[in-house]
DNA sequence: GCGGTGACGGTCG
DNA sequence: CCGACCGCCACCG
């Protein structure tokens, strides 16, 4: 396990329930500013039983980056279970659910 | 060690 | 508002 991944996971854990964060935001918090892709890799390599709320991480468009058959559907259900709503286009309102990091 | 790929982001049209 | 292009960089074969 690399320290970078650990930081990413730590950043993801800071996202409160019912809120969502973008890859770029997580990357910044993790100290990997501009390396949003690495965040994606880190989460993809993440196992289900790690306790990391990976479902709260979405792209800048407010949409689920995962393909529908790659777990995206599951992610959406998890978010809706937390109170996050999706519009007709399958997008989340970042203005309402976007997490504003506090320190 | 090289080249292609990707859970992305920002800009341009 | 939405789609297309380019840029960045770590990971995998």
């Amino acid at each position: 396990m690399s320290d970078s991944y650990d930081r990413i996971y730590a950043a993801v854990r800071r996202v409160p329930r019912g809120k969502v964060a973008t890859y770029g935001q997580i990357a910044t918090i993790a100290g990997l500013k501009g390396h949003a892709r690495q965040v994606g890799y880190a989460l993809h390599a993440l196992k289900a039983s790690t306790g990391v709320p990976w479902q709260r991480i979405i792209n800048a468009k407010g949409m689920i980056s995962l393909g529908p058959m790659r777990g995206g559907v599951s992610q959406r259900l998890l978010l809706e279970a937390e109170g996050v709503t999706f519009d007709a286009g399958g997008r989340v309102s970042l203005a309402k659910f976007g997490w504003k990091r506090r320190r």
Side-chain angles (χ1 to χ4, degrees):
Chain A
M1 250 339 193
S2 67
D3 295 323
S4 297
Y5 275 43
D6 204 29
R7 281 186 162 191
I8 292 172
Y9 300 148
V12 176
R13 288 196 190 90
R14 290 178 195 164
V15 183
R17 177 179 156 309
K19 292 286 183 179
V20 295
T22 65
Y23 294 91
Q25 191 171 9
I26 294 299
T28 301
I29 298 170
L32 297 171
K33 199 169 184 292
H35 295 217
R37 280 188 162 176
Q38 194 177 349
V39 175
Y41 268 107
L43 295 181
H44 188 242
L46 190 59
K47 302 300 183 223
S49 307
T50 50
V52 179
W54 60 272
Q55 68 272 24
R56 295 173 192 157
I57 311 305
I58 57 179
N59 61 29
K61 304 184 198 80
M63 300 195 283
I64 294 174
S65 297
L66 280 171
M69 48 244 225
R70 296 176 63 184
V73 178
S74 180
Q75 179 174 14
R76 175 168 176 165
L77 291 175
L78 286 168
L79 288 175
E80 292 184 316
E82 295 186 351
V84 178
T85 59
F86 291 75
D87 63 12
R91 297 202 303 271
V92 177
S93 175
L94 292 174
K96 294 180 180 175
F97 301 105
W99 175 53
K100 299 183 170 39
R101 88 172 155 92
R102 302 176 196 178
R103 287 163 300 169

